[in-house]
Amino acid sequence: MSIRVKVATTPVELNHVYQLRYQVYAEEYAYMQKNPQRIIMDMFDGMPDSYNIIAYDGETPVGTIRVVIDGALRLPADQMYDFNQYRSQLIEQAQSQGLPIPLLANSGMFAIDARWRNRRDLFRSLFKLSCDIGEARGVTDIITTANIETLALYKRMGLKALGAQIRHEHISVSMVPMHCSMAQITKWAFGGPRTHSKLTELFALCYEYLLVSAGTPIFNATDENPDEAYLISSGAIGITMDTTTMQQDFDLATLTAGELFGESCLIDEQPRKVNATAIVNTDLMVLNKKEFWQKVNQDQSFMKAVLKVMDQKLRDVGRRALIYAHASQEERLQFFLEQLAKTAQPMLKKPHQRVVRMGGHAFSVISGVERDESQAFLEQQAKTGSIGLTENSIVFYSEARS
């Protein structure tokens, strides 16, 4: 199963956004009145600084959220609450610290189809792409008006109430004005302080998110016209090659968070030569070939960045090949544990600890060592106090090795 999260740009995608809002707000909750067009949209949807995000499960639209950057018409939240006093406070605070004037954004029109509301990864990915947009545009603060029934959810995300609840007569619900910094909501969305790579910085606003379940093929060697490269946000991808002499595929590599794959299609017209499959539930950032060349034509430094990543990848492949071919089992396990440590993310409530959402089975697959032996190795490492071990995660207590 895979879910793709992207900025809606085509008329069809935008219509799916408006229809999904209608399905949730008018048909399911009756917050808004039904209409013959069976869509919900407003004047902010036509603004150049509005970004409607849509999530698809296959061809089915399953979630949406809208980000609006502050402008001449202010923000949708300003229509329900007077944020001017708070704006003034933010400006005074920034000036006293010698910082640029704050830029506000509003995140709202959030709707998920009821059948997909148990997908926490979908929920977070909608906000991850929202954060990517906010960071790329230089947003410093988020304001919104939250439905009183979902107030606890917004508080868990880091937003704080700015005043008492107010009655929204148009939709007949009570709302609470709320605020948080861009940094705070990004920290929540990404499960801790976000780490950036050169690629994520250069290609901001170009990525889509792809959420795939364990065992899902990303691409196959039979793909003749590939047009997407992938950066692993979390999880692990197995790269294999079809063989005619063996009954099973030949394992070439196992890639983890921060690694790029499938990038050769960006610069040539050759078909894929390998297969890529998710080993565990994995979040990918997708870079389309058309978007890539639009960036390159604007600035050649984008091409240099990708070539640099490809060069480093070739070096890493060589090192992995030596490990697979000549290292002892203990050395192989230690090598892959160190590789995972480099990709571990700070924990939200314990930032001095870093975590990889990966259990013993996935570690066995990555290292190419039988499950019993790899599990015994991890348990021994846990006894020394260098890692913590749960069924679905590995926690690192010491600094990542470089």
Side-chain angles (χ1 to χ4, degrees):
M1 178 182 290
S2 61
I3 293 178
R4 185 174 291 256
V5 183
K6 60 183 298 185
V7 176
T9 56
T10 70
V12 171
E13 291 168 348
L14 289 168
N15 197 47
H16 286 159
V17 168
Y18 309 146
Q19 289 175 340
L20 188 54
R21 291 178 188 169
Y22 183 86
Q23 175 185 324
V24 174
Y25 293 137
E27 294 183 333
E28 183 177 355
Y29 288 106
Y31 290 151
M32 298 183 179
Q33 292 183 352
K34 295 182 179 180
N35 60 68
Q37 293 77 30
R38 298 176 61 82
I39 62 173
I40 291 176
M41 60 183 300
D42 61 28
M43 66 178 184
F44 290 98
D45 290 311
M47 297 296 102
D49 285 335
S50 289
Y51 300 83
N52 279 302
I53 298 171
I54 184 76
Y56 289 97
D57 185 349
E59 301 296 322
T60 304
V62 296
T64 183
I65 193 171
R66 182 176 68 185
V67 178
V68 183
I69 312 297
D70 206 0
L73 297 180
R74 293 301 194 188
L75 296 168
D78 288 294
Q79 296 189 326
M80 291 177 268
Y81 182 83
D82 185 0
F83 285 92
N84 285 328
Q85 182 178 357
Y86 192 71
R87 275 189 171 87
S88 298
Q89 292 175 3
L90 290 175
I91 292 173
E92 291 175 4
Q93 183 179 354
Q95 290 176 334
S96 66
Q97 298 175 0
L99 299 174
I101 299 297
L103 178 62
L104 276 64
N106 183 190
S107 182
M109 285 290 187
F110 179 53
I112 293 183
D113 187 299
R115 294 167 292 179
W116 279 264
R117 285 181 196 152
N118 63 339
R119 290 291 302 264
R120 293 185 179 181
D121 55 346
L122 168 59
F123 181 80
R124 282 188 182 269
S125 289
L126 287 166
F127 279 92
K128 283 182 180 180
L129 188 48
S130 299
C131 291
D132 286 345
I133 292 169
E135 288 189 341
R137 292 296 310 274
V139 171
T140 59
D141 296 87
I142 302 294
I143 59 172
T144 191
T145 47
N147 188 329
I148 190 67
E149 295 179 3
T150 57
L151 187 61
L153 171 63
Y154 281 88
K155 287 183 177 180
R156 287 198 297 272
M157 293 165 60
L159 285 95
K160 296 182 179 180
L162 295 177
Q165 60 181 278
I166 51 177
R167 186 73 175 174
H168 192 298
E169 298 302 331
H170 180 61
I171 59 176
S172 300
V173 297
S174 294
M175 311 290 286
V176 176
M178 305 194 79
H179 160 268
C180 75
S181 68
M182 186 73 233
Q184 178 61 43
I185 200 165
T186 299
K187 183 178 180 180
W188 170 84
F190 288 88
R194 189 178 183 188
T195 54
H196 286 280
S197 69
K198 188 64 175 178
L199 287 176
T200 56
E201 293 175 0
L202 285 175
F203 292 98
L205 296 181
C206 293
Y207 284 112
E208 299 174 4
Y209 279 89
L210 185 64
L211 318 179
V212 292
S213 303
T216 301
I218 310 304
F219 57 72
N220 298 306
T222 55
D223 294 347
E224 294 186 355
N225 298 298
D227 61 358
E228 291 181 338
Y230 305 87
L231 184 68
I232 304 174
S233 179
S234 65
I237 296 292
I239 305 296
T240 62
M241 178 178 288
D242 296 330
T243 64
T244 56
T245 58
M246 294 186 289
Q247 293 184 346
Q248 62 182 12
D249 294 344
F250 178 68
D251 293 330
L252 294 176
T254 301
L255 309 179
T256 54
E259 297 192 85
L260 181 71
F261 67 98
E263 72 280 4
S264 60
C265 78
L266 299 176
I267 55 178
D268 66 29
E269 302 294 334
Q270 300 298 313
R272 303 281 194 196
K273 295 181 175 62
V274 297
N275 311 307
T277 305
I279 296 174
V280 296
N281 293 346
T282 299
D283 290 5
L284 300 171
M285 299 173 73
V286 184
L287 177 59
N288 182 271
K289 186 173 185 176
K290 180 180 178 181
E291 297 281 354
F292 170 76
W293 280 105
Q294 285 178 347
K295 283 284 191 180
V296 169
N297 290 331
Q298 294 171 6
D299 187 341
Q300 292 297 314
S301 65
F302 294 105
M303 174 65 83
K304 294 179 182 178
V306 171
L307 292 176
K308 186 175 181 180
V309 170
M310 293 176 69
D311 178 66
Q312 183 59 49
K313 184 176 178 180
L314 287 173
R315 297 172 188 269
D316 291 342
V317 167
R319 187 181 178 197
R320 287 171 190 257
L322 289 173
I323 291 293
Y324 278 121
H326 302 294
S328 66
Q329 181 171 286
E330 180 77 14
E331 290 170 334
R332 183 186 294 186
L333 289 165
Q334 188 63 49
F335 170 79
F336 283 102
L337 187 63
E338 290 177 358
Q339 294 299 106
L340 285 181
K342 295 176 183 178
T343 69
Q345 297 294 313
M347 299 178 70
L348 188 59
K349 295 184 178 180
K350 299 178 181 179
H352 60 287
Q353 298 179 12
R354 295 167 298 108
V355 65
V356 172
R357 305 297 179 185
M358 182 178 295
H361 172 70
F363 182 71
S364 171
V365 174
I366 287 175
S367 60
V369 175
E370 292 295 330
R371 175 67 186 275
D372 290 345
E373 284 80 2
S374 65
Q375 186 67 27
F377 170 80
L378 290 175
E379 290 174 356
Q380 180 59 38
Q381 295 295 312
K383 288 180 180 178
T384 66
S386 60
I387 67 169
L389 195 59
T390 70
E391 183 178 353
N392 298 310
S393 64
I394 301 173
V395 179
F396 294 89
Y397 299 127
S398 58
E399 293 298 321
R401 298 178 177 90
S402 59

